[in-house]
Amino acid sequence: MGFADHGGHHELHSQVKNATCRKWDTPKNTDGRPGLPWDMAVYVPLVVLMLVKRLNSREMEADVSEHVVARVCIGRQDDPSPQMRDHSNIARAYAALGKDGGDEINALMLHVARDCGFADVSLLSSETTAQELPIGYPNEPGILRGMAQRCGRALAQRKTRAVVGVDTALAQGQTILRTVKAHHLCAKGQQAKRQVLTRLLTEVGAFVVQTRRLVQGLGARRDRVTHHAITTRKTMHEVAKRLIPQIVQWITTGVVAKGKMVPVGVTQARALVRHKAGKEVECGLPYLLSRLGGGYVFGTVIRGVVDESKMPVQALAGYREIFGAHATPVLMVYDRGGYARATVRALANAGVKAIGLQPKGHGAWHVAEAVRETVRSERGKTEGIIGTLKTDKYGFNKPKERLWQTLEMAGPRSILSFNLNKLMRDLVRTDR
């Protein structure tokens, strides 16, 4: 079944093409330099097929060059000399789509699923989860080591340019790494570890002062390597301003600061207490995932501190961004973490007829007994879909991306891949 020649899916292909054209209509490369306009007839099916099969750009290049089914999907099966794309161009097309483009296509999928009768938009079930990142356990010395390593790599590139003060700063960075190793291997007992951590904070403070002087000395240079080094050190300086007070608070009071930074490379990540069996804490991006009746999903990263009691209202706001400002589900489902009087009032004022929030303690339900069975069933289905997203097939957990510009696309990409696969299965089932 291809996007180009299958009559039942030609209209869907056209809608996806129109949605993505708005992201690719400017004849520029992703780095802002001028270039040729995107070939819509090639790139739209390529990116959609890459999302459906969850391939990276190199795998997509090999798939198109070796498999006739892939060429049928992009409409190049009858061309004796088809214009194929290498992995770098496919990667640029995916990067140019961006998170906003992915969200727009996902919203299109949900509209198509609703219009085809596959998705029941009168039911909305939501739950929070964590998109775990591929990082180690976030203890304080390890976080400080990451900051020193990033600054050290940027400084090493300046060592060959005879920049004054680089050798001193690099030596201070190595001192930090040795202190971290001493904390892990030599410090025995809580008191000894606290003393080593205090010394480590002093060394990091001196390191920040030294690198700040280097940034000031390099301010007039404009070559690419220097610009990258300056940007890295400035970013780490901002991280240090937030991170060091958080560590000092933990040393002095024993209480972890709210919004504690976990890795210095992705400052949006948090340590989330989940109380799961065998996994008390998950480290990553807090996500709010919502499921429509029929199994289609949408979601977004939670900004700021996670307040579970406000998540049902936020889920309704995400629902209205997709289906319209006045669209309202008949039944909203959430677990007891989202129950609060203010939340119930807000949902009632928004027009939700059946508020399926599980009450805390011995509180009273706001739905009848018959509806409670539906609430419990939908809660289980939502948890099941979250587990499906975190499998290797969709790769929601532990994405390989490192930069925030691409990392923020990883979650929506997994959700879009799930919805595209489900929509294809539903369409095929209907055709049969």
Side-chain angles (χ1 to χ4, degrees):
M1 158 177 55
F3 288 99
D5 59 350
H6 194 288
H9 307 109
H10 181 73
E11 182 180 356
L12 173 61
H13 168 56
S14 300
Q15 294 183 50
V16 174
K17 179 177 178 179
N18 292 334
T20 50
C21 278
R22 290 190 290 272
K23 304 299 295 182
W24 290 339
D25 57 356
T26 303
K28 289 182 179 296
N29 292 325
T30 57
D31 56 3
R33 293 182 295 176
L36 294 176
W38 298 109
D39 186 354
M40 295 296 108
V42 175
Y43 281 114
V44 173
L46 268 177
V47 173
V48 170
L49 182 61
M50 185 171 68
L51 290 170
V52 170
K53 303 183 73 172
R54 212 185 78 80
L55 303 176
N56 58 42
S57 58
R58 290 183 181 272
E59 293 170 339
M60 190 69 251
E61 178 187 8
D63 194 62
V64 171
S65 62
E66 296 176 3
H67 299 157
V68 66
V69 175
R71 290 196 290 274
V72 171
C73 286
I74 67 173
R76 291 296 185 270
Q77 72 277 12
D78 297 327
D79 194 341
S81 57
Q83 183 188 29
M84 298 302 178
R85 290 300 170 188
D86 61 4
H87 64 89
S88 59
N89 284 295
I90 297 173
R92 290 190 187 101
Y94 172 70
L97 183 65
K99 177 182 178 299
D100 294 338
D103 290 339
E104 188 173 348
I105 296 177
N106 191 50
L108 172 63
M109 294 299 103
L110 298 179
H111 280 278
V112 172
R114 179 197 60 183
D115 297 339
C116 293
F118 303 143
D120 180 9
V121 298
S122 66
L123 190 151
L124 179 64
S125 176
S126 304
E127 179 61 280
T128 55
T129 187
Q131 183 186 19
E132 294 184 83
L133 301 181
I135 59 177
Y137 188 80
N139 54 39
E140 282 72 10
I143 300 173
L144 294 173
R145 177 179 58 190
M147 185 175 68
Q149 288 174 335
R150 282 171 171 79
C151 287
R153 287 193 292 266
L155 289 171
Q157 297 175 347
R158 299 290 85 206
K159 190 175 181 179
T160 59
R161 302 294 183 92
V163 178
V164 178
V166 170
D167 291 334
T168 304
L170 284 173
Q172 183 65 22
Q174 292 300 316
T175 301
I176 293 173
L177 298 182
R178 286 193 295 271
T179 305
V180 172
K181 185 177 292 186
H183 179 277
H184 290 333
L185 301 179
C186 303
K188 305 298 181 182
Q190 185 176 6
Q191 185 62 30
K193 288 185 177 293
R194 291 288 178 89
Q195 291 176 356
V196 176
L197 182 56
T198 302
R199 187 176 82 228
L200 181 60
L201 284 175
T202 304
E203 295 171 352
V204 169
F207 186 62
V208 170
V209 172
Q210 291 175 354
T211 54
R212 184 180 293 116
R213 293 171 182 169
L214 284 173
V215 170
Q216 294 173 353
L218 295 171
R221 307 189 185 189
R222 289 294 179 267
D223 61 281
R224 182 181 61 83
V225 177
T226 301
H227 177 73
H228 175 71
I230 292 174
T231 302
T232 299
R233 289 195 286 274
K234 285 183 177 180
T235 302
M236 291 301 102
H237 292 166
E238 294 300 322
V239 168
K241 289 180 182 179
R242 296 171 51 194
L243 178 61
I244 292 178
Q246 291 177 342
I247 296 177
V248 171
Q249 174 183 329
W250 180 76
I251 293 176
T252 55
T253 65
V255 178
V256 178
K258 289 185 177 180
K260 171 70 182 301
M261 194 176 299
V262 181
V264 295
V266 185
T267 57
Q268 295 83 358
R270 295 291 181 266
L272 306 171
V273 179
R274 304 293 296 171
H275 298 299
K276 291 183 177 180
K279 188 186 291 185
E280 184 72 13
V281 178
E282 291 179 335
C283 299
L285 302 175
Y287 249 86
L288 175 63
L289 292 178
S290 299
R291 173 185 176 275
L292 300 174
Y296 290 85
V297 187
F298 62 92
T300 183
V301 176
I302 302 173
R303 307 290 181 178
V305 180
V306 179
D307 186 352
E308 193 80 13
S309 64
K310 296 181 180 179
M311 291 301 104
V313 178
Q314 186 169 334
L316 178 61
Y319 175 92
R320 287 180 168 176
E321 286 181 4
I322 296 174
F323 297 107
H326 300 289
T328 306
V330 176
L331 172 62
M332 279 202 66
V333 178
Y334 206 89
D335 66 3
R336 62 170 55 89
Y339 185 86
R341 292 182 179 178
T343 301
V344 173
R345 285 197 301 269
L347 294 178
N349 293 335
V352 179
K353 296 180 179 179
I355 303 174
L357 272 61
Q358 184 176 355
K360 296 180 179 179
H362 298 286
W365 283 80
H366 293 270
V367 292
E369 180 64 33
V371 182
R372 296 176 203 174
E373 292 301 321
T374 303
V375 171
R376 297 186 184 98
S377 174
E378 293 301 324
R379 288 276 304 116
K381 293 176 182 178
T382 303
E383 292 287 355
I385 283 184
I386 292 175
T388 301
L389 285 173
K390 293 185 177 183
T391 59
D392 293 337
K393 180 177 180 179
Y394 298 110
F396 184 80
N397 264 3
K398 297 185 178 180
K400 297 180 180 179
E401 289 82 358
R402 293 295 181 267
L403 296 176
W404 174 246
Q405 289 77 7
T406 54
L407 181 60
E408 67 174 348
M409 296 172 60
R413 177 197 62 204
S414 299
I415 295 172
L416 179 56
S417 177
F418 175 86
N419 285 336
L420 282 169
N421 276 278
K422 182 167 179 55
L423 183 60
M424 292 297 103
R425 288 194 299 268
D426 290 340
L427 288 170
V428 170
R429 190 180 302 115
T430 302
D431 289 345
R432 289 177 180 173

